[in-house]
Amino acid sequence: MKKILTGKIVTVGDNVDTDQIYPGRYLALTDPAEIGSHCLSGIDEGLAARFPAGGMVVGGRNFGCGSSREHAVIALQSMGASAVLADSFARIFYRNAVNLGLVPVICKGLNQHVQSGQTLTVDLEKGTVTVEESGESYACEPLGDQAWKILEAGGLKPLMRARYGKKEADNAE
């Protein structure tokens, strides 16, 4: 996992729920590209088509509230998002993001200082977000040790495969 992420942003507001991130009418889809093409269509039908590859979503308070569907995170990843930054996250969305390998960054008040189209650099180790156009930096909350381990492995499943696959290989010798 990269410790420094740079990308253009798309901003959304407060209380963006999982049905706005990935509307329930698309739940039967299985192709990642098709899933990604419907991401954030509950806010703007054409947003996914305009989303910059490797970009980031910046939200306000309570991002990812609503149902516990993992599809919201999968849609963001399939759309090309490298991270989601917000004032706060619904707890289940935050855990789903970490477990599936999408970086969630809590950065209170950031959404009030940025606008869609700007470029951010997020230094996950230092806990800072810098707006490239202005040079202004903002503090963000650090990821916990366990979240780091999971994200560095690419998600919870890859972490468990590496952990238990290694033990199985050791036991076979």
Side-chain angles (χ1 to χ4, degrees):
M1 179 182 85
K2 293 181 181 179
K3 309 263 183 187
I4 298 177
L5 305 172
T6 299
K8 292 205 175 287
I9 61 168
V10 169
T11 59
V12 295
D14 293 333
N15 301 310
V16 173
D17 66 44
T18 53
D19 204 50
Q20 291 173 297
I21 298 167
Y22 191 64
R25 66 184 175 271
Y26 301 117
L27 290 175
L29 300 176
T30 58
D31 176 49
E34 196 172 359
I35 290 169
S37 74
H38 297 291
C39 188
L40 296 169
S41 64
I43 295 172
D44 176 347
E45 281 290 337
L47 198 142
R50 298 186 313 271
F51 191 80
M56 295 177 251
V57 175
V58 176
R61 296 183 315 271
N62 202 26
F63 187 89
C65 57
S67 74
S68 61
R69 70 176 67 140
E70 292 178 338
H71 293 77
V73 173
I74 294 166
L76 287 160
Q77 290 173 310
S78 297
M79 180 179 69
S82 62
V84 177
L85 298 88
D87 284 0
S88 63
F89 291 93
R91 295 309 304 164
I92 191 71
F93 177 89
Y94 187 90
R95 288 307 311 174
N96 283 340
V98 170
N99 288 343
L100 293 171
L102 177 65
V103 179
V105 179
I106 297 171
C107 191
K108 295 184 188 303
L110 177 67
N111 65 324
Q112 297 168 12
H113 301 282
V114 297
Q115 54 189 308
S116 289
Q118 289 183 305
T119 300
L120 298 184
T121 295
V122 181
D123 188 323
L124 295 168
E125 285 187 309
K126 290 182 182 176
T128 60
V129 176
T130 303
V131 181
E132 294 301 317
E133 289 79 2
S134 68
E136 292 182 27
S137 288
Y138 302 91
C140 54
E141 292 184 15
L143 295 167
D145 291 339
Q146 190 60 26
W148 267 113
K149 287 178 190 173
I150 294 169
L151 288 167
E152 285 180 323
L156 188 59
K157 285 182 182 179
L159 177 68
M160 293 296 105
R161 284 186 192 113
R163 186 175 291 171
Y164 292 113
K166 184 178 183 324
K167 285 183 182 179
E168 289 175 12
D170 290 343
N171 290 337
E173 291 178 4

